[in-house]
Amino acid sequence: MELRHLHVVLTVAEAGSISRAASSLKIAQAGLTAQLRRIERGFGGPLFLRRSDGVELTELGRHVVLRSRDLVERFDDLMVTARRLAAQNGGAGIRLGGVAGAPTPLLVDVVRDMLPSQPRTTHVERSCDAVLDLVRSGKLDVALVVEFPQSPLRIPEEVACRSLVTEPMLVGIAAGHRLSGRSEIRLSELADEDWAVPDENYGGGRVNLHLACEAAGFTPRCVHFGVDPVSAAELVRSGHTVAFFFPTGRELPGVVLKPVVGSPVHRRVLLVWQRDGAAAEYVDELHGRVLRAYQERVRGPRPAALAAAAS
């Protein structure tokens, strides 16, 4: 039995309904029902009587709720006083993270400006699941992950998230490429090109590129695998390869980034943090600052096509 289980029991008791409690906790009703059954098994009996109009506490449930309120209040007080003391003594610092390929350096810059007196560490993982698990377990305070429509993330219930920005896929072609004069490109026009594609964990997207190309009537001829953006740019610069990128705001000499008609591949960048963690106190300000910094970076003095694609 963990403290979070007591929070679940208290939320259901206060809501008087599993459906209303599920909405408050932002989890599926079926998931809450299954979790509540496991909690009740842990306590040795039913805590609630299920009725057509909601739930009612059993005698055991009233006992558990009464004692739980006291425990939760004392724990919350402990966390407040401990954080205050830690802040006075310099604390353990802010632990930042992200998935490879996400704009994690931007998050680091924003936190440095926002909380200059706090020490920082940054941890980059190759998969979003690994990042989410580090946030869930409290080993990271706040991080960035990416999500594709065809590959939704499994967000743990202990982790809160907020969408930061939706990024379109851009095609990188050599400056002298036959399509370099276009303002945007149809994916079907790249059917005969050799592609460089990243490791699937590096910001994802390879599967989604294949799906989009199949929808456009061809299978992409992938010949260079597991490349990072720097290696992809080198291959594109040679004039014999194309690759996909996401907006970075950085110049890639010799490479022209073009939007794809209809933006068939895009991803969401998500800010994630532990629901009960220290970052929850400042996440609203952090989200706003990171979003503004992202917009300034991508919409600044960059190629018009790149700024337009990120709109």
Side-chain angles (χ1 to χ4, degrees), residues 258-296:
K258 297 291 182 179
V260 178
V261 174
S263 294
V265 179
H266 59 275
R267 69 179 187 180
R268 283 199 308 158
V269 180
L270 302 173
L271 185 70
V272 296
W273 66 97
Q274 193 180 51
R275 291 187 185 277
D276 298 325
E281 299 177 7
Y282 55 80
V283 73
D284 288 339
E285 181 181 359
L286 179 61
H287 179 272
R289 287 190 180 217
V290 174
L291 178 58
R292 287 192 295 274
Y294 179 93
Q295 292 171 336
E296 289 171 3

Side-chain angles (χ1 to χ4, degrees), residues 112-310:
R112 180 187 297 112
D113 292 340
M114 182 175 160
L115 302 168
S117 64
Q118 289 285 341
R120 295 163 301 279
T121 58
T122 307
H123 191 91
V124 176
E125 281 285 345
R126 300 291 290 180
S127 77
C128 290
D129 287 341
V131 174
L132 290 169
D133 188 60
L134 289 172
V135 175
R136 179 198 61 77
S137 61
K139 295 177 182 176
L140 290 179
D141 296 307
V142 63
L144 293 179
V145 294
V146 298
E147 179 180 59
F148 291 85
Q150 297 90 343
S151 311
L153 294 175
R154 298 183 296 276
I155 308 290
E157 62 183 73
E158 301 91 346
V159 177
C161 70
R162 186 175 300 177
S163 180
L164 184 67
V165 67
T166 297
E167 297 182 314
M169 180 191 80
L170 304 173
V171 172
I173 57 178
H177 192 276
R178 58 187 172 84
L179 300 174
S180 60
R182 300 278 192 88
S183 59
E184 55 182 0
I185 297 173
R186 294 187 181 279
L187 206 51
S188 58
E189 294 178 295
L190 302 172
D192 295 327
E193 301 283 351
D194 289 344
W195 285 82
V197 291
D199 184 299
E200 185 56 28
N201 287 329
Y202 197 95
R206 192 161 86 192
V207 170
N208 298 273
L209 171 68
H210 271 269
L211 292 173
C213 291
E214 294 288 350
F218 71 100
T219 298
R221 193 166 65 224
C222 300
V223 297
H224 306 293
F225 298 92
V227 297
D228 57 54
V230 173
S231 300
E234 287 290 341
L235 289 165
V236 170
R237 208 167 3 252
S238 70
H240 305 291
T241 303
V242 300
F244 72 83
F245 299 83
F246 288 96
T248 65
R250 297 190 300 271
E251 299 286 357
L252 298 173
V255 176
V256 181
L257 298 179
K258 297 291 182 179
V260 178
V261 174
S263 294
V265 179
H266 59 275
R267 69 179 187 180
R268 283 199 308 158
V269 180
L270 302 173
L271 185 70
V272 296
W273 66 97
Q274 193 180 51
R275 291 187 185 277
D276 298 325
E281 299 177 7
Y282 55 80
V283 73
D284 288 339
E285 181 181 359
L286 179 61
H287 179 272
R289 287 190 180 217
V290 174
L291 178 58
R292 287 192 295 274
Y294 179 93
Q295 292 171 336
E296 289 171 3
R297 187 188 69 182
V298 174
R299 299 172 192 246
R302 301 298 174 190
L306 178 59

